[in-house]
Every structure is written in structure tokens, then in C-alpha cells.
Amino acid sequence: MAAAQFGELPFLKEDAVVYSCAYSPDGKSLSVGLQNGDIKVYSTSSWDHVHTLTGHTRPVWSIAYSPHGNQIMSVSDCTARLWDVEAGACLHILIGHSGDVHGVAFAPCGDSVATASDDSTVKIWDIVGTGKCRLTLTGHTEAIRSVAYSPKGHLIASGGHIDCNVRLWNTQTGECLHILSGHTDSIRGVAFSPRGDWVASTSSDKTLRMWDAETGTCCRVLTGHTNPVTCSAFSPQGDVIASASHDRTVRIWDAETGVCRQTLTGHSEWVTCVVFSPEGDRIACGSFDKTVRVWDVGSGGTRQFASNIVLSNVKYSPLGDQVASCGYNGSIQLWDVETGGCRRILAGHTHTVRSIAYSPRGDVICGSDDSTVRIWDVETGVCRQIFIGHTDYVFVVAYSPQGDQVASGGRDKSAKIWDVGTGECRLTLTGHTDHVSSIVYLPKGSQIASGSRDSTIRLWDIESGTCLHTLSAHLRYGWSYFDYHKLVASVVYSPGRDQLASAGNDSTVRLWDVETGDCRFVLIGHTRDVRIVVYSPHGGQVVSAGWDSSLKLWDDRTGECLHTLAGHTSEVTCVTFSPKGDRIVSGSEDKTIRLWSTTSGQCQAVVQDLDTSIRSIAWSTAPGINYFVTACADYSVRMWKVVEDGDACHIRMHWRPVNGELNVTETSIKDVQGLSQLNKRLLEQRGAVGKPLHADRMNETSQKVLSLVSVVSALKESSTITALESTSVSNSTAGLSEYSEDREQPIE
């Protein structure tokens, strides 16, 4: 793939030297730390100035956003300060270092922070329970200027300003696991790769070094800067790394090869900081020239996958013949399950589409960061209704079982009930004191349940708007000014009984009696945040998953843990049951898909060596079809087939659009015997090396695609075929007729 090129956007002019900058996790804001001790927060959509955070008396050396994006930690004058992003207020000041604090990093779970100081120590602070220093890491001989957490949170890297060493620490015990030696001058910055397998260090010796995080060995040394290298940042995908230098440039390196792809110029003084946006499409850097420059991935780069957007969700239609995906560019794409072609692109939302649902009749409803809810006719692509009333992001949407109402919830702390026919808001349900993060209709359609970051679940009568029960769900811890939300991450209704299940950041799953509002069971076993809970299709079982990389299968009648499904090595991001309920498929940040038996709890199949993590997953709703679809972090939608092979089973990719080209990966014709050389050559040309079909022409050429698939299927079933490989067969724009029964005649 060609290297992406970065084009510069308008820059921000500051009134002081810029020492640090950081993107929020959702990419909506950029914070800048200045020499005068101020922190300025900007909106990245308009570049308007939102807040100025004041209080530090010396330069703000480093800034970090909390994982949820609602807080900022900044370090400066022997202190670390915690800020509320929305209010712009200082929540607390961490005091304990005896020298200037230069580095700060949040733990991935958000419950602790690490700080690095000129007093030669790294301190780990508990910001959820006590607010006190939990560990002090000693070993560096003098000042420490940088610190970073590994993605799993079990390691910390720190860079010594005087001893020129990088140290890797165990975050639980405080033990120094490795001392990484090789730099010949001060360490200016450290950073972990997104997978946690590499550590990058930058130095005044003008180099950037890549280290193996497990063994502590130096993998490569990147040279090219002509002055000290101040810091580095990995792209979210981990394939490139950016470095900033006193030579006034930012360099973009290939993380695998160490080759410099591009040098970004424009600053007139030292470049002090560099950071990628969460989507990886922008780089922001600050400088002594008192500017912040933001670079955009321009047309010189290539997007590898046909959807060409960062995907947030994927859903099957009620009949199972269509898949809808949505993402960060505000559009919804409808995919044909049989051909993989993009049927329609529904455009109208102006910001990220976070949630998507099908109505019983097959229409699509979406909730967006533009504060609206839209209903789309999937046959015509026309927007049938726009529901306007929310005052902030819409996080969740749901259709009533009858399809005559829509419920929505979002950042404005309210849930709304809309009339599908008139487009009017029938009810606004208020009472939650924080974001509404999940919403579900009960089967009869007369009640809904809403889950919130205020740690409660509310049951509502949607005729009167009355709150029937407030379920004080998942624990909410706090101390002093801290108010760490143990949010309700997911709420689902049981198909088999009047029961709700909820998942929360307190590491528990809770089962609730809908009639009384009582908590029937607290399911304990996970060791970190539980983000997902799903009922089996017929009830009786619940599966939960989250940040501890495991899945747990529970009996919803007794609360007993039936199986712990272990195998993923990173956060489990999505889970679903097969329609029969006999299998579970899960996707993870570890870039694998796993298929599990609900009977034995054993992993039956694994898709490994993917080049991307999995964001969303859905099993086909069509009866008797063993297909499921995934939305991935690399912008792709992929369909997978579960293939039975006696007692064993396998997962094969059925299709995925790539650069507008459809790949059918069931069979290959390269080793087929029994055909004439002419027919084999024609099939190879038309099936394997033909020009790709463009996504917006996929409908016109779907018959050619199906013809090719039918040819391959006929070849596969023939008794004269002795060998078939499982490799990719792609579309051809050449004319392709039906398979000829006379194999010695060329295909016309």
C-alpha cells in the first residue's frame, strides 16, 4: 500500500510556546499546554476555543486525556492537576513530587495515573478510591522526563533524562523488569505501540529506537533527524510512527521497516510534541514558534478498504439479506449479503453515526452526534423522518416491537419516545444525571429500560412517562472532588422471562426482576470492566465480556457461571450468539475472532493473523444460515461462513469489499484438473486477475459475480476435480456467461 501523504490544515496561533498537546479519545477536542502554564482546549470540528484551564505556575510539560475523555491530567510545577473537560474546572491537585513533573499517563482502565518527575521517581496514583500515591518507582539516577502505560496496563515505560536509559516496570509490584540501554544522550519521550509489543524512545542523540517490550532488546534504530528528537506517537493502527524534533520537522516512519515515509515541514522553531487523532487521519504538533499545526491525510494516501470510513456498528436486516454499517463520516452503507456489493449509501447526517437499528418492516434508524435521529427507507434510500429534539450526541436508538415508535438516548441525559408516523416527540424521559448509554424496549412495547453513566437503570411506562423503578445498578465510587463513574455499559432484556441483565464498570453483571425492580443476582467473576452482556436467543443463558479479555457464560436462573471462555489476549469488543444459541462468536482488540461451544465452553475455531481489530459483530438472521458479519477498525465489513467438518468446524471468509473489489475466498481454480488449458486460462484471467469492480457499480455487475461463483461451485462439485485451494477469487469486468456443460469448449 502506498504511503499516506499528509496535507496541512490551518494552524492555531498561540501567545506562548507550545510544550504539549493531546487529542481527546473521540477526536472532538484538542488540548494544548503552554509555556505560561495555561491549557487551551479547542473543538476540532470548528477549531473554536472552548476553555482555558489556568492554575499551573510553570510550563505545562505534558497532557493526557482519561480513557472516557471527560477528564484531563496535566503536569507542571511539582504537581499534577485533574480537570473536568466539560466544566473547565480543576477537580484535584496531586502533590507528592519534589521536582517538576514532566510526564503523565492514564492507565487504560482510567483508575490510576502515572507521573514522572525531576526528582528521579515515577509515582502511580489511585484516582478512584483514595487519591493517594500507590507506588513510587525508584531506580533512575536523576530526572525522568517521560512515562507511558502499556495498552493492557500491566507495564509502565519511563525515560531517564540523565542516565539515558528506558526502564520497564511492573505496575502491580513496582519491579523493574528491563533496563533498555543504547541511547547516548537524554531520553526525551517514550511510547507503547497499540498492541503493546513495541516501545519507542526518542533522544537528544537524534535517534528514535524501537524496543521489544517483552525481551527488552532493541529492534531498530531510526535515523534522519538532524537535532534532538523530542517525542514520538504511534498511529492507532500501529503501522506508522511520527517523531518530532528540534530540527523543526515531523517525520513519518514505517513501524515495520523503519523507513521514513514523509517529512512534514512548516514550523519555524523546535517541534516539541506530536500526536495522532483517534482515527489516525490527522497529526497535531506544537512548537516553540507558538503554533499548533494539524496535518490531514490527503489525496496522496490510499484507503485500502471499500467502505472508506471508520466503522462504529453493523447490523443484519430482519430477513438476513442485507447488512447495514455506520461510522465516523456520518453515512450508512447497505451491503448485499449474497454479492457483497454496496446497495446504497445513506447520506444526511453531518457527524458520526453511533447507533443503528432495523425496524420490524426493514427500515433503518440511526442516531448521530449531530443530535438527530433519522429513519431511512432502504429500498429508495430516502430519509423518511428526521427527529429533532436532543441537544447533544445521540448514543442509542431502538424500535418498539410493533415498529410504531422509536426510543433514543444520549449525552443530554434524556431518553425520548418518537412517533414514527408523525415524527413528533411523544415523551421526554428525564431523571438520569449523566449520559444515557443504553436503551431497550420490553417485548410488549409498553415499557423501556434505560441505562446511564450515572450508574442507574430506569424502567419507564411509555404511556404516562412515569419512572416505575430506579435500579441502583453498578457501584459508583468517589472521594473528595473525584467522582469516578461506574457506568452501566449495557442493558438487555431476557427473551424467556421478565428479567433484565446489565453490565458495568464495577466488573459485575446484574440480573433484575422487571416487575419488582429487585436485583436477583450479582454475577461476580470478571476482574475488570464488563462492557458487553448478551442473552441467548431463547433465554436461559447470558454471556458477558469486557476488558479482562475473557467471556463468561452464566445460567440466568441460578446465577451460576457455566463456563469461562479464555483465549483472547486483549479486550473483547463484541459478542453474539448463533440463532440456535449453541455457539458464541467473539471479536477482540487482539485482532482475532473466536467461535465457542456453549455446551462445552471450548473454542471451536479461531481466525488469527488479521491485520485489524474487531469493532462489531452480528450473526445472520436468515434461518439455517451459518454466516456472521464483522465491522473492523480498518474500515472493512467482512462476512464469514462457519463450515461444519464432522465434529470439527472452521471459519472461512465469505466476502469482503477491498478497494471496491469483491473477494470470494471459498475456492480457487488454480489447481483444477479436467479442464482444457484454454478454459483454465480464461477462468484464471477472469476470476483471479481481472480488473476490480468499483463499489458504486456493484449492482450492475452482480450477475457477473454470481456467474463466476456458480462456475467455481460447479467446478468444486465435479468428480473430476482433484484439488481445490482455499484462496481468493476476485471479480472481473470481463463478460462471463453461465458455466458451459461442455468443458472442452471455451467459456464465451
Side-chain angles (χ1 to χ4, degrees):
M1 186 175 70
Q5 302 295 308
F6 290 83
E8 191 180 0
L9 298 174
F11 58 84
L12 309 173
K13 183 67 176 176
E14 301 294 349
D15 51 7
V17 170
V18 179
Y19 275 96
S20 53
C21 58
Y23 268 103
S24 62
D26 61 5
K28 300 294 184 182
S29 64
L30 178 72
S31 292
V32 178
L34 303 178
Q35 184 184 31
N36 63 6
D38 290 348
I39 301 160
K40 290 192 176 181
V41 182
Y42 293 92
S43 164
T44 57
S45 59
S46 61
W47 297 112
D48 289 338
H49 175 231
V50 179
H51 291 300
T52 298
L53 312 179
T54 61
H56 286 299
T57 59
R58 289 177 51 75
V60 179
W61 302 112
S62 185
I63 299 172
Y65 274 89
S66 66
H68 299 307
N70 59 329
Q71 295 174 341
I72 292 173
M73 186 68 78
S74 61
V75 293
S76 175
D77 40 22
C78 303
T79 68
R81 290 176 179 253
L82 186 70
W83 307 85
D84 183 290
V85 174
E86 189 170 349
C90 181
L91 301 177
H92 200 73
I93 304 173
L94 303 181
I95 299 174
H97 284 293
S98 58
D100 263 17
V101 186
H102 281 267
V104 64
F106 268 96
C109 59
D111 62 353
S112 59
V113 294
T115 55
S117 169
D118 281 352
D119 64 10
S120 75
T121 69
V122 173
K123 289 181 180 288
I124 300 177
W125 307 81
D126 182 352
I127 62 168
V128 176
T130 65
K132 295 180 180 179
C133 177
R134 180 169 61 83
L135 274 177
T136 298
L137 312 179
T138 59
H140 285 289
T141 56
E142 291 194 49
I144 307 170
R145 293 296 171 87
S146 54
V147 66
Y149 265 98
S150 66
K152 294 180 182 179
H154 67 299
L155 295 176
I156 281 178
S158 59
H161 188 62
I162 304 299
D163 61 19
C164 307
N165 292 327
V166 176
R167 288 178 177 254
L168 297 182
W169 311 84
N170 183 304
T171 58
Q172 295 303 312
T173 65
E175 177 189 0
C176 180
L177 304 176
H178 297 292
I179 300 176
L180 315 181
S181 300
H183 284 295
T184 59
D185 209 335
S186 304
I187 308 295
R188 308 298 294 267
V190 290
F192 277 93
S193 64
R195 291 186 300 181
D197 50 349
W198 289 336
V199 176
S201 58
T202 54
S203 171
S204 294
D205 65 9
K206 308 175 188 178
T207 68
L208 184 152
R209 287 179 178 255
M210 305 277 285
W211 310 84
D212 186 300
E214 184 175 352
T215 65
T217 57
C218 183
C219 303
R220 60 185 61 89
V221 181
L222 311 184
T223 60
H225 284 294
T226 57
N227 275 305
V229 186
T230 53
C231 62
S232 64
F234 281 94
S235 67
Q237 295 77 25
D239 57 336
V240 298
I241 184 169
S243 60
S245 171
H246 284 186
D247 64 10
R248 307 175 186 177
T249 70
V250 173
R251 286 180 176 254
I252 311 299
W253 311 82
D254 187 296
E256 289 288 342
T257 65
V259 174
C260 182
R261 292 183 177 181
Q262 193 177 357
T263 301
L264 309 180
T265 60
H267 283 295
S268 58
E269 294 291 346
W270 297 350
V271 184
T272 55
C273 52
V274 64
V275 63
F276 275 93
S277 66
E279 289 81 27
D281 57 347
R282 290 180 176 181
I283 287 179
C285 45
S287 168
F288 264 51
D289 63 10
K290 302 182 182 180
T291 67
V292 177
R293 292 176 183 263
V294 181
W295 304 83
D296 194 18
V297 176
S299 58
T302 59
R303 291 285 191 183
Q304 189 176 358
F305 294 88
S307 73
N308 208 28
I309 59 171
V310 180
L311 297 171
S312 58
N313 213 334
V314 63
K315 287 287 190 299
Y316 262 100
S317 64
L319 297 178
D321 61 336
Q322 182 176 271
V323 170
S325 62
C326 60
Y328 288 1
N329 74 342
S331 71
I332 303 97
Q333 292 176 302
L334 305 180
W335 305 89
D336 189 292
V337 167
E338 289 298 321
T339 68
C342 183
R343 288 182 176 179
R344 290 191 186 282
I345 297 177
L346 311 179
H349 285 294
T350 57
H351 290 288
T352 298
V353 178
R354 292 184 182 268
S355 55
I356 188 169
Y358 276 94
S359 73
R361 55 169 279 182
D363 289 339
V364 167
I365 184 169
C366 304
S368 169
D369 284 4
D370 64 11
S371 306
T372 68
V373 177
R374 290 175 182 248
I375 296 180
W376 303 86
D377 186 307
V378 297
E379 294 299 324
T380 64
V382 173
C383 179
R384 295 177 50 226
Q385 291 282 6
I386 303 177
F387 301 145
I388 300 175
H390 283 289
T391 58
D392 212 327
Y393 299 171
V394 179
F395 289 150
V396 286
V397 292
Y399 260 106
S400 65
Q402 296 77 24
D404 60 338
Q405 294 177 358
V406 167
S408 60
R411 195 173 177 179
D412 61 6
K413 309 173 187 178
S414 73
K416 291 180 180 288
I417 308 297
W418 308 87
D419 187 292
V420 170
T422 65
E424 295 179 354
C425 180
R426 295 181 52 181
L427 284 172
T428 297
L429 310 177
T430 59
H432 285 298
T433 58
D434 211 327
H435 307 170
V436 176
S437 53
S438 53
I439 200 163
V440 60
Y441 272 92
L442 275 61
K444 294 180 182 179
S446 60
Q447 296 177 13
I448 64 167
S450 58
S452 169
R453 282 188 57 169
D454 65 8
S455 79
T456 69
I457 299 167
R458 288 178 177 256
L459 293 177
W460 308 86
D461 182 290
I462 59 174
E463 291 300 321
S464 63
T466 304
C467 180
L468 304 175
H469 298 291
T470 299
L471 315 180
S472 296
H474 298 272
L475 300 178
R476 179 173 174 164
Y477 297 116
W479 69 272
S480 185
Y481 292 100
F482 283 95
D483 200 6
Y484 179 74
H485 298 277
K486 291 298 181 181
L487 60 89
V488 177
S490 180
V491 177
V492 291
Y493 188 82
S494 168
R497 63 186 69 236
D498 282 341
Q499 183 170 272
L500 286 171
S502 62
N505 280 13
D506 61 354
S507 306
T508 70
V509 175
R510 293 170 185 254
L511 305 183
W512 306 87
D513 186 302
V514 172
E515 197 66 35
T516 65
D518 294 334
C519 181
R520 287 178 173 171
F521 297 105
V522 179
L523 310 182
I524 299 173
H526 286 286
T527 59
R528 294 186 64 186
D529 300 16
V530 184
R531 308 311 304 272
I532 305 165
V533 61
V534 181
Y535 267 102
S536 59
H538 308 297
Q541 293 181 340
V542 175
V543 65
S544 58
W547 285 3
D548 65 2
S549 74
S550 72
L551 296 88
K552 290 185 179 288
L553 187 64
W554 311 85
D555 187 313
D556 77 341
R557 293 174 289 269
T558 65
E560 177 190 359
C561 181
L562 303 175
H563 300 292
T564 296
L565 314 180
H568 286 297
T569 59
S570 189
E571 174 188 351
V572 180
T573 53
C574 47
V575 178
T576 189
F577 278 92
S578 65
K580 294 181 180 178
D582 58 339
R583 287 178 175 147
I584 292 168
V585 64
S586 57
S588 170
E589 287 287 350
D590 65 8
K591 303 183 180 180
T592 69
I593 300 168
R594 289 181 176 263
L595 185 71
W596 312 85
S597 166
T598 59
T599 304
S600 66
Q602 297 298 309
C603 182
Q604 296 182 318
V606 185
V607 179
Q608 300 187 76
D609 301 324
L610 291 172
D611 53 0
T612 181
S613 55
I614 315 302
R615 288 287 179 263
S616 183
I617 198 164
W619 205 295
S620 174
T621 51
I625 301 297
N626 270 341
Y627 291 97
F628 62 89
V629 66
T630 57
C632 303
D634 63 1
Y635 325 134
S636 70
V637 176
R638 309 185 191 198
M639 179 170 283
W640 307 85
K641 182 179 182 181
V642 178
V643 181
E644 305 286 349
D645 185 9
D647 293 335
C649 64
H650 309 283
I651 300 174
R652 295 179 183 170
M653 189 185 295
H654 185 54
W655 57 251
R656 69 167 177 170
V658 181
N659 285 335
E661 176 181 355
L662 178 67
N663 283 358
V664 181
T665 59
E666 290 292 322
T667 57
S668 167
I669 57 176
K670 292 182 179 178
D671 293 331
V672 175
Q673 298 181 8
L675 290 181
S676 69
Q677 291 298 316
L678 175 58
N679 274 345
K680 282 196 288 186
R681 188 163 59 251
L682 284 171
L683 283 174
E684 287 172 358
Q685 289 174 349
R686 297 174 182 181
V689 295
K691 295 180 180 179
L693 299 177
H694 197 273
D696 60 12
R697 297 200 300 273
M698 195 67 80
N699 283 333
E700 302 172 17
T701 53
S702 61
Q703 290 305 312
K704 297 179 183 179
V705 177
L706 292 174
S707 296
L708 173 60
V709 175
S710 68
V711 170
V712 175
S713 299
L715 291 173
K716 186 174 182 180
E717 294 167 1
S718 172
S719 60
T720 63
I721 298 174
T722 60
L724 283 170
E725 291 182 346
S726 184
T727 55
S728 173
V729 178
S730 55
N731 297 347
S732 166
T733 53
L736 197 61
S737 69
E738 294 296 328
Y739 174 68
S740 172
E741 292 296 329
D742 181 3
R743 295 192 179 182
E744 292 306 315
Q745 298 299 317
I747 298 173
E748 298 298 332

